[in-house]
């Protein structure tokens, strides 16, 4: 569903803003440092439970304040439909809480179902350049929407992993406790195999969208290769048992989908070692656009796409290609720009001006 009403309190320089978004193209204009990107962060936080700029949500809270709140209401998919109200609150020193239709969510992942949102920002190249953590999150968000029940398996696996790691640390102090690992190994292996299978299926479904997008946008013949987190062709239970002594020594579990990755290769070599920064950016953008292309075939309504100054770092030819890839998605767009002139996506359906943390409609 598209996002309609949006209210943000105490998020960075945004002390209090209220606005109504259009289901089509929304343009946010303003000078650097005015709060444009912070507004996108607020939308992303509402749909993901976290920021796309920092892993520490407390850093988003305005200076001198104890908490931030973001509230939103989706636009109903059709006339007579029921909008969904959702909100999130981040408080210093306390767990983040979220509500959907006035009820507390069990996990922040529930927000993703109510408001599927993705972002392309100037730091998008980190999806290729950085550690596997970012690429796992990229794949898991897609898998969450495509594979029913994935989030439950992921949650159970995460809990079992924590329990096994706790048992490993206990064994470091008391080797007699080694026997308790057998039960955790069995549970972890069963859940981990399911998790990896779901990820693998989704990445296979993504391949045609990925190949078409990366060739059209970047002229690159890149491979997306799934690494499940342990040896290919080896059962996870076997890998867990084989690495037990090393795991005890380190106090953490070595094998499993928590170490999985999506590896980009060019002519058999790691893309992050061979691509330029500009090529990494195009590859990362292609990953996100391919993801959205697949989602538009699965979700009843297109997701929301946030674009932070998309024209800033693309030459005219690449920008034209980028527009050609985004336009058919029929996503709700929320994009930022320094000015209203020369917009790559044409006349916006709604425009907002941000100045010193305040938002108005010109």
């Amino acid at each position: 569903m598209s996002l309609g009403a949006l209210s943000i309190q105490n998020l960075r320089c945004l002390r209090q803003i209220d606005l109504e978004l259009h289901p089509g193209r929304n343009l946010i204009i303003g000078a650097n440092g005015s709060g444009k990107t912070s507004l996108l962060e607020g939308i992303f936080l509402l749909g993901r439970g976290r920021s796309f700029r920092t892993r520490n949500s407390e850093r988003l809270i305005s200076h001198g304040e104890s908490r931030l709140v973001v509230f939103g209401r989706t636009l109903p998919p059709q006339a007579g439909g029921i909008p969904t109200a959702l909100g999130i609150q981040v408080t210093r020193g306390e767990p983040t809480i979220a509500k959907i239709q006035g009820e507390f969510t069990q996990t922040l992942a529930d927000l993703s179902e109510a408001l599927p949102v993705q972002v392309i920002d100037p730091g998008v190249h980190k999806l290729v350049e950085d550690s596997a953590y970012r690429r796992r999150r990229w794949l898991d968000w897609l898998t969450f929407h495509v594979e029913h029940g994935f989030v439950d398996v992921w949650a159970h696996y995460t809990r079992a992993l924590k329990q096994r790691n706790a048992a490993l640390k206990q064994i470091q102090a008391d080797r007699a406790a080694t026997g308790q690992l057998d039960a955790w190994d069995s549970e972890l292996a069963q859940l981990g195999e399911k998790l990896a299978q779901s990820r693998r299926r989704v990445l296979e479904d993504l391949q045609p969208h990925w190949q078409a997008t990366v060739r059209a946008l970047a002229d690159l013949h890149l491979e997306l290769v799934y690494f499940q987190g342990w040896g290919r062709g080896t059962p996870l239970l076997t890998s867990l048992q084989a690495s037990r002594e090393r795991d005890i020594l380190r106090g953490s579990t070595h094998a499993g989908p928590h170490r999985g990755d999506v590896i980009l290769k060019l002519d058999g070599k790691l893309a992050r070692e061979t691509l330029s920064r500009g090529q990494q950016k195009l590859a990362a953008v292609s990953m996100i656009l391919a993801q959205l292309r697949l989602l538009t075939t699965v979700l009843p309504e297109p997701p929301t796409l946030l674009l932070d100054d998309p024209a800033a770092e693309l030459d005219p030819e690449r920008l034209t290609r980028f527009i050609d890839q985004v336009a058919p998605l029929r996503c709700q767009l929320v994009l930022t720009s320094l000015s209203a002139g020369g917009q790559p996506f044409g006349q916006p359906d709604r425009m907002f001006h941000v100045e010193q943390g305040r938002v108005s409609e010109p």
Side-chain angles (χ1 to χ4, degrees):
M1 295 185 184
S2 300
L3 182 62
L6 175 68
S7 175
I8 299 177
Q9 299 174 18
N10 300 328
L11 193 157
R12 297 195 190 271
C13 67
L14 305 177
R15 296 289 180 169
Q16 176 67 58
I17 69 163
D18 299 278
L19 50 85
E20 293 280 343
L21 296 169
H22 192 278
R25 296 184 299 274
N26 299 270
L27 175 62
I28 315 295
I29 62 172
N32 289 329
S34 61
K36 303 188 304 297
T37 302
S38 297
L39 197 154
L40 298 187
E41 272 189 292
I43 298 174
F44 195 84
L45 182 68
L46 190 61
R48 294 287 196 96
R50 62 180 179 86
S51 165
F52 57 85
R53 296 169 73 189
T54 176
R55 292 169 68 173
N56 184 354
S57 295
E58 290 189 21
R59 293 180 181 175
L60 304 179
I61 302 173
S62 300
H63 179 71
E65 301 292 340
S66 61
R67 68 177 185 178
L68 71 83
V69 178
V70 182
F71 172 81
R73 187 177 64 251
T74 64
L75 295 168
Q78 55 189 6
I82 300 175
T84 300
L86 58 161
I88 186 167
Q89 178 177 296
V90 180
T91 304
R92 297 189 192 278
E94 297 182 13
T96 298
I97 58 174
K99 286 185 176 182
I100 298 177
Q101 299 294 61
E103 299 291 334
F104 285 106
T105 61
Q106 292 186 347
T107 70
L108 295 179
D110 294 335
L111 295 171
S112 288
E113 186 172 3
L115 181 64
V117 59
Q118 186 55 284
V119 63
I120 297 175
D121 72 313
V124 69
H125 65 276
K126 295 177 182 177
L127 185 57
V128 174
E129 183 183 66
D130 280 7
S131 68
Y133 171 80
R134 288 180 182 270
R135 292 181 293 279
R136 279 198 303 272
R137 295 205 72 143
W138 168 83
L139 180 57
D140 284 349
W141 182 75
L142 177 62
T143 308
F144 167 81
H145 287 290
V146 175
E147 290 268 327
H148 297 296
F150 171 79
V151 68
D152 292 331
V153 176
W154 183 89
H156 283 98
Y157 177 85
T158 301
R159 284 196 291 269
L161 179 64
K162 289 180 179 178
Q163 293 289 346
R164 186 179 192 268
N165 287 342
L168 290 170
K169 292 181 174 62
Q170 182 180 352
I171 293 168
Q172 288 177 337
D174 180 12
R175 295 288 300 194
T178 304
Q180 63 181 292
L181 281 181
D182 292 335
W184 290 122
D185 284 0
S186 178
E187 181 175 358
L188 203 67
Q190 182 180 19
L191 294 168
E193 295 278 6
K194 289 182 180 179
L195 204 63
Q197 289 169 6
S198 292
R199 287 174 172 172
R200 187 179 297 108
R201 283 194 296 266
V202 169
L203 197 61
E204 289 175 356
D205 291 342
L206 184 71
Q207 291 295 340
H209 301 288
W210 157 252
Q211 292 297 339
T213 304
V214 75
R215 289 174 184 172
L217 185 60
D219 288 325
L220 292 172
H221 294 271
L222 285 168
E223 295 180 83
L224 280 183
V225 181
Y226 178 57
F227 169 63
Q228 61 184 3
W230 69 95
R232 186 176 180 179
T234 303
L236 179 53
L237 181 59
T238 301
S239 295
L240 289 171
Q241 293 171 343
S243 64
R244 178 173 290 190
E245 286 303 316
R246 177 173 57 177
D247 291 352
I248 292 172
L249 183 64
R250 297 183 178 181
S252 62
T253 302
H254 176 72
H258 60 285
R259 295 187 64 250
D261 196 357
V262 178
I263 301 170
L264 282 81
K265 290 187 175 183
L266 179 65
D267 297 328
K269 299 178 181 179
L270 292 178
R272 66 172 178 265
E273 297 177 357
T274 58
L275 298 184
S276 67
R277 174 62 61 84
Q279 289 175 319
Q280 288 182 9
K281 183 181 290 287
L282 291 172
V285 169
S286 297
M287 290 174 68
I288 292 173
L289 294 182
Q291 188 182 59
L292 295 175
R293 286 179 64 168
L294 175 57
L295 279 183
T296 55
T297 70
V298 175
L299 298 179
E301 292 293 318
T304 295
L305 175 58
L306 312 176
L307 301 175
D308 196 4
D309 204 0
E313 299 184 46
L314 293 174
D315 60 49
E317 179 187 354
R318 297 296 181 188
L319 181 59
T320 298
R321 294 188 182 196
F322 176 69
I323 295 168
D324 290 343
Q325 294 300 309
V326 173
L329 294 176
R330 304 187 312 278
C331 292
Q332 179 187 37
L333 293 181
V334 185
L335 58 151
T336 68
S337 178
L338 290 173
S339 66
Q343 286 307 308
F345 292 93
Q347 182 66 26
D349 297 299
R350 193 159 295 163
M351 184 164 60
F352 305 91
H353 180 229
V354 182
E355 184 176 10
Q356 295 182 344
R358 298 181 177 87
V359 179
S360 61
E361 293 191 52

